[in-house]
Amino acid sequence: MLCKNYRSYSISFFCAFSFIVLHSQERAQDSSAFGLALPDIGKTIPRQAGKTSVRESAVYYRAQHDYLFFLETIVSYAFSDFFGVQIGMPIIVAFQKNFHRSAGASDARVELSFNIYNQPNFLANIMVGVQFPSGNARVIPNTGTGSFDFVGRFTTVHSSEHWYMGYKTSAFVTHTRRHFKNGNFYFFEMGFGPKFHFNKKSPLHCYCIGQLFGILFEQDKFNNITLQNTGGQVYFFGPLLSATWKGFLVEGSFLVPIGQSRYGNQPKFDFRTALTFEITF
């Protein structure tokens, strides 16, 4: 059963990991407008002053008879190499839970972006923001939390001439509305893989990344009473293929669960798949 926390996310990923990367001494020859190709983890991070990035993603979750399919548009703008803003506008195309169906706008969000370390081959970024109750909290299943929620993220990306690796952890802290509170939920993403150059003079770069994607969602509460059949955790793993050409990025992923646990009577996840297009100008 897709819990309300996923609704909140579609209304769009943990403890902070750190990892050591060998920092290439040669400047990466990425041709993306941001100077550093950012497939999946880290894409749309505002990185170069005056640049705008627009990303459109289609994401689909399947959990036995339940499913969630949503589109998300993210617009990012860099005021400087250090500071930028990101706006997320998700739309739920189809959402089924216990044979109840809903669709419509989800909770939009605005995040401020800070590049705390910004080099040609390496990027460390922090985002903080607010998620607005633009979705519908009354439909079943609901498409929004009905409250103003906090969003926080930490991202690191290393992209040398031949390798890519990245890590992102995100937290969504929800608030009580009309005695009901969606559980907080947390995401982490890790990716590692080679970068291919079929022609050194070509601006086309391709990536083959192994991606680990995890979600921890707390149980919902009503009048401070924990609700059964909500909450749990799931870990997905699978391939992500990505290609960048000048200011364009296209990628797709297909992830299957490698571990999951749910409270109460909830169906198991079957898979998660996503397709993304992005343009930077």
Side-chain angles (χ1 to χ4, degrees), residues 117-131:
Y117 187 75
N118 188 356
Q119 295 295 324
N121 292 347
F122 191 85
L123 176 67
N125 172 272
I126 292 176
M127 285 190 182
V128 293
V130 176
Q131 189 162 268

Side-chain angles (χ1 to χ4, degrees), residues 48-108:
Q48 185 175 338
K51 295 295 183 179
T52 299
S53 177
V54 180
R55 182 183 87 188
E56 185 69 33
S57 295
V59 183
Y60 182 82
Y61 288 89
R62 183 80 185 189
Q64 298 178 9
H65 55 268
D66 293 340
Y67 55 81
L68 170 62
F69 175 42
F70 67 92
L71 303 176
E72 184 175 41
T73 301
I74 296 179
V75 180
S76 302
Y77 179 77
F79 295 100
S80 69
D81 295 349
F82 169 75
F83 172 69
V85 63
Q86 177 174 286
I87 301 173
M89 298 165 287
I91 300 292
I92 296 180
V93 179
F95 187 15
Q96 175 171 297
K97 175 183 176 182
N98 289 334
F99 302 104
H100 295 283
R101 296 183 179 90
S102 65
S106 291
D107 292 346

Side-chain angles (χ1 to χ4, degrees), residues 136-193:
N136 192 336
R138 297 183 178 181
V139 297
I140 300 176
N142 65 316
T143 62
T145 64
S147 64
F148 289 89
D149 304 322
F150 169 79
V151 182
R153 309 180 194 272
F154 172 72
T155 306
T156 59
V157 173
H158 172 76
S159 184
S160 65
E161 185 176 3
H162 299 291
W163 293 95
Y164 172 92
M165 65 175 63
Y167 172 79
K168 177 164 69 175
T169 182
S170 306
F172 289 74
V173 180
T174 62
H175 294 85
T176 301
R177 181 181 182 273
R178 295 182 178 179
H179 309 291
F180 180 82
K181 183 183 184 302
N182 287 95
N184 301 331
F185 49 110
Y186 311 91
F187 296 77
F188 77 86
E189 300 175 65
M190 299 182 69
F192 176 79

Side-chain angles (χ1 to χ4, degrees), residues 6-281:
Y6 281 105
R7 305 168 196 164
S8 305
Y9 172 64
S10 65
I11 304 163
S12 62
F13 335 359
F14 328 111
C15 51
F17 274 60
S18 62
F19 56 84
I20 299 175
V21 296
L22 297 176
H23 192 80
S24 172
Q25 298 301 312
E26 179 182 3
R27 292 178 62 90
Q29 299 302 311
D30 291 323
S31 58
S32 66
F34 278 49
L36 174 68
L38 303 175
D40 195 51
I41 300 169
K43 57 181 177 282
T44 70
I45 290 179
R47 188 167 188 267
Q48 185 175 338
K51 295 295 183 179
T52 299
S53 177
V54 180
R55 182 183 87 188
E56 185 69 33
S57 295
V59 183
Y60 182 82
Y61 288 89
R62 183 80 185 189
Q64 298 178 9
H65 55 268
D66 293 340
Y67 55 81
L68 170 62
F69 175 42
F70 67 92
L71 303 176
E72 184 175 41
T73 301
I74 296 179
V75 180
S76 302
Y77 179 77
F79 295 100
S80 69
D81 295 349
F82 169 75
F83 172 69
V85 63
Q86 177 174 286
I87 301 173
M89 298 165 287
I91 300 292
I92 296 180
V93 179
F95 187 15
Q96 175 171 297
K97 175 183 176 182
N98 289 334
F99 302 104
H100 295 283
R101 296 183 179 90
S102 65
S106 291
D107 292 346
R109 67 182 183 274
V110 176
E111 299 171 80
L112 300 179
S113 174
F114 304 91
N115 294 324
I116 58 178
Y117 187 75
N118 188 356
Q119 295 295 324
N121 292 347
F122 191 85
L123 176 67
N125 172 272
I126 292 176
M127 285 190 182
V128 293
V130 176
Q131 189 162 268
F132 298 88
S134 55
N136 192 336
R138 297 183 178 181
V139 297
I140 300 176
N142 65 316
T143 62
T145 64
S147 64
F148 289 89
D149 304 322
F150 169 79
V151 182
R153 309 180 194 272
F154 172 72
T155 306
T156 59
V157 173
H158 172 76
S159 184
S160 65
E161 185 176 3
H162 299 291
W163 293 95
Y164 172 92
M165 65 175 63
Y167 172 79
K168 177 164 69 175
T169 182
S170 306
F172 289 74
V173 180
T174 62
H175 294 85
T176 301
R177 181 181 182 273
R178 295 182 178 179
H179 309 291
F180 180 82
K181 183 183 184 302
N182 287 95
N184 301 331
F185 49 110
Y186 311 91
F187 296 77
F188 77 86
E189 300 175 65
M190 299 182 69
F192 176 79
K195 181 193 304 185
F196 300 98
H197 307 271
F198 298 102
N199 186 332
K200 291 185 177 180
K201 296 183 179 180
S202 172
L204 175 65
H205 299 150
C206 298
Y207 303 75
C208 183
I209 298 170
Q211 185 180 29
L212 177 65
F213 181 84
I215 312 171
L216 170 65
F217 37 98
E218 298 177 348
Q219 291 183 273
D220 302 335
K221 292 184 178 181
F222 183 73
N223 284 331
N224 291 322
I225 298 176
T226 300
L227 301 182
Q228 300 299 315
N229 303 323
T230 63
Q233 56 187 333
V234 58
Y235 304 94
F236 295 95
F237 183 78
L240 180 143
L241 302 178
S242 180
T244 61
W245 183 79
K246 296 184 177 180
F248 297 91
L249 178 146
V250 59
E251 67 185 20
S253 64
F254 184 84
L255 311 179
V256 296
I258 58 174
Q260 58 182 306
S261 61
R262 316 293 296 278
Y263 294 107
N265 183 21
Q266 302 183 67
K268 300 292 186 180
F269 281 96
D270 297 318
F271 63 87
R272 175 191 187 271
T273 186
L275 179 65
T276 295
F277 298 94
E278 179 179 309
I279 181 171
T280 301
F281 52 92

